[in-house]
Amino acid sequence: MTPSSSSGAGTLSRLRNRTFDEIGIGDHAEIERVLTAEDIQLFAIQSGDINPSHVDPDFAARTPVGGVVAHGMWAGALISAVLGTHLPGPGTVYRRQNLRFLGPIRVGDTLTIRVQVIAKQAEDQTVGLSCAGINQHGHTVIEGEAVVTAPTQRIELERASLPHIRLEGGSGDDMRQLLAHVGKMPAIRTAVVHPCDETSLAAALECRAEGLIEPVLVAPRQKLEAVAAQAGLDLSGVEILDAPHSHAAAEQAAALAGQGQVQAIMKGSLHTDELMSAVVATSAGLRTKRRISHCFLMHTPAYPRPFIVTDAAINLAPDLAQKADIVRNAVDLAHAIGVVRPKVAILAAVETVSPAMPATLDAAALCKMADRGQIEGALLDGPLAFDNAVSIAAARTKGIVSPVAGQADILVVPDLESGNMLVKQLIHLGQAASAGVVMGAKVPIMLTSRADGRASRLASCAVAVLLAHHYRQAPP
């Protein structure tokens, strides 16, 4: 929130008021605020106003305004902020306020709240002020008049330090909803490849306990039983297929999947390259017409919806044809989880096409392929820098007019290195929840990592279950 004022409201670190005697007709003050989805959620939590026009994107899309809008009194609260901190400032007593709501305020809109002194009454030290909220297009969306009692003594003090508020419930709620939804589906028979450490074996057994999978443990039996005994894990009732070593386990699991004897594959304690080499082998029968790629399904408290990042795990430096398949695979995943027409942002370092930056050329070509029907079922735009892909305000600042910008469901990275760094930053600095799955094969493949937490492993398994059932109706 950026304040500006002709009334000397102090510095960024201090608040200073204007007394009744110091205030003159025509004095004014203003603040600027960009509306975020988190603002709407916080206001709904505090006020209890959960009108679906404000908190349910699907419902809001069917209303006359065509999308989520801010509560009218969110803007009214900003007027109160100007009066209480700038003009007159600390010591002000609100007497009355009238407001007229003239237009919607949408996520990403920049609202400038301006108050101006229009009257003074010495008998009771009251001040009348006109109030207006103007969006980035110059349209007045809220207006009215306020009457306050102005302070009679000078007040100057340090600004209060407020706690940072972060909405943490979203990703956890999504996990519970995902598990509840998938829990209604039959468990899928899953080959768990070489789970010969405590972490991977415990994860497979926990997914079994949650009713997600019927694990088939493909590994050296003696080693597996030793790990279970040391960790106190019960293998009773679990099918075990003895394999002499990890390489043989990967080949055997891939063959099971190719023959339709299992509906998914879960990585254990072997290297990803070792497993994927067996998966892509011609003898396994798991290849489709698509390039195999990896998708991270993520949700961070700072973004209003789950989104997909691809490919951050398999394809090192994909060319244009490979990127087209990476996009198609991600779109298929989006469809499977219920996003009918996902918005796909093709990421690059900049949002303009430059011959010196191949990622921007690929982005432009992918968008043209979508225009010509070569990539179906989604809305593509690119190149888009990361900020433009996830922030409507950032896109508007740069003059980008796009139905994808700021609302992306899928983020397509230029290469594995940039994607891997992005995902890890989102997880470790952005408190993102994540699930990972390999697309483009005949069955979903879970490439869980030793660093993955319990929630991530369960979420990855739940997504694989969802895909396995989806593939029964629409084989890849």
Side-chain angles (χ1 to χ4, degrees):
M1 186 182 292
T2 303
S4 63
S5 173
S6 66
S7 56
T11 67
L12 290 177
S13 61
R14 297 186 66 80
L15 291 175
R16 187 174 71 242
N17 68 357
R18 290 291 293 256
T19 66
F20 179 83
D21 291 338
E22 293 172 326
I23 295 171
I25 302 296
D27 283 354
H28 64 275
E30 63 184 41
I31 61 173
E32 182 180 283
R33 179 71 175 263
V34 177
L35 176 67
T36 68
E38 193 172 44
D39 289 326
I40 295 176
Q41 294 165 1
L42 284 170
F43 194 92
I45 291 169
Q46 291 297 312
S47 67
D49 183 355
I50 56 172
N51 181 337
S53 295
H54 307 304
V55 298
D56 185 337
D58 292 335
F59 176 89
R62 301 191 296 269
T63 64
V65 296
V68 167
V69 297
H71 302 75
M73 289 310 297
W74 176 80
L78 295 185
I79 293 173
S80 176
V82 184
L83 298 174
T85 62
H86 292 85
L87 180 64
T92 298
V93 178
Y94 231 140
R95 292 303 182 190
R96 58 182 178 271
Q97 173 85 63
N98 63 58
L99 294 171
R100 295 175 290 280
F101 302 98
L102 307 178
I105 307 170
R106 306 177 189 277
V107 172
D109 280 356
T110 300
L111 193 65
T112 299
I113 297 291
R114 180 184 175 92
V115 302
Q116 184 167 2
V117 177
I118 55 175
K120 291 180 64 179
Q121 187 168 311
E123 291 81 0
D124 54 4
Q125 284 79 47
T126 56
V127 177
L129 304 100
S130 63
C131 312
I134 303 165
N135 67 17
Q136 70 274 15
H137 303 299
H139 301 150
T140 300
V141 295
I142 184 173
E143 66 179 12
E145 295 80 33
V147 176
V148 302
T149 298
T152 57
Q153 294 184 335
R154 170 61 63 88
I155 299 174
E156 184 170 349
L157 69 164
E158 295 290 331
R159 288 179 180 265
S161 179
L162 297 177
H164 177 67
I165 298 175
R166 180 179 291 277
L167 297 179
E168 297 286 2
S171 55
D173 289 344
D174 285 340
M175 165 64 77
R176 287 187 287 273
Q177 291 172 13
L178 177 62
L179 290 175
H181 176 67
V182 173
K184 301 173 185 177
M185 301 177 177
I188 60 171
R189 197 160 186 259
T190 300
V192 185
V193 187
H194 202 261
C196 292
D197 63 2
E198 180 180 349
T199 302
S200 58
L201 182 56
L205 296 178
E206 185 168 19
C207 290
R208 177 191 185 222
E210 290 286 343
L212 299 172
I213 66 171
E214 296 174 5
V216 179
L217 308 183
V218 188
R221 179 184 290 273
Q222 187 174 1
K223 187 174 184 179
L224 196 64
E225 291 176 343
V227 170
Q230 185 175 0
L233 299 172
D234 185 6
L235 296 180
S236 301
V238 179
E239 183 177 356
I240 300 174
L241 297 182
D242 195 15
H245 44 67
S246 59
H247 185 71
E251 290 182 342
Q252 192 170 348
L256 289 172
Q259 296 161 9
Q261 295 185 41
V262 295
Q263 289 76 55
I265 295 174
M266 177 185 287
K267 174 179 170 289
S269 58
L270 75 170
H271 290 295
T272 296
D273 289 348
E274 190 174 8
L275 174 59
M276 294 310 300
S277 293
V279 168
V280 300
T282 303
S283 58
L286 286 179
R287 298 296 300 269
T288 68
K289 62 182 179 181
R290 298 264 184 89
R291 177 85 175 183
I292 287 177
S293 62
H294 185 272
C295 290
F296 277 106
L297 179 61
M298 312 194 76
H299 194 193
T300 172
Y303 198 62
R305 66 183 68 82
F307 58 96
I308 295 167
V309 178
T310 188
D311 178 352
I314 292 180
N315 293 284
L316 181 60
D319 59 23
L320 178 61
Q322 292 165 352
K323 286 182 180 179
D325 273 349
I326 288 170
V327 173
R328 294 181 184 110
N329 287 339
V331 170
D332 282 352
L333 175 57
H335 289 168
I337 63 176
V339 183
V340 177
R341 188 169 174 78
K343 298 176 180 179
V344 182
I346 315 298
L347 298 185
V350 296
E351 63 278 353
T352 53
V353 178
S354 169
M357 301 181 72
T360 67
L361 299 177
D362 286 350
L366 289 168
C367 293
K368 182 53 66 175
M369 291 173 72
D371 290 343
R372 299 291 170 85
Q374 293 172 269
I375 299 175
E376 298 180 322
L379 186 62
L380 275 65
D381 196 10
L384 289 172
F386 178 76
D387 57 341
N388 303 323
V390 300
S391 169
I392 294 175
R396 287 178 174 169
T397 298
K398 293 188 177 181
I400 298 172
V401 179
S402 163
V404 174
Q407 306 174 73
D409 300 300
I410 299 172
L411 302 176
V412 180
V413 298
D415 53 41
L416 184 146
E417 287 185 316
S418 60
N420 191 270
M421 287 187 283
L422 173 60
V423 166
K424 289 177 178 176
Q425 287 164 357
L426 288 168
I427 292 172
H428 293 287
L429 297 180
Q431 291 78 51
S434 68
V437 67
V438 173
M439 305 287 296
K442 290 183 178 179
V443 300
I445 302 166
M446 294 162 266
L447 297 182
T448 50
S449 164
R450 286 173 295 177
D452 291 339
R454 172 184 181 274
S456 180
R457 290 175 180 274
L458 285 175
S460 296
C461 191
V463 171
V465 172
L466 196 65
L467 278 170
H469 287 286
H470 177 72
Y471 287 168
R472 290 175 177 174
Q473 305 298 323

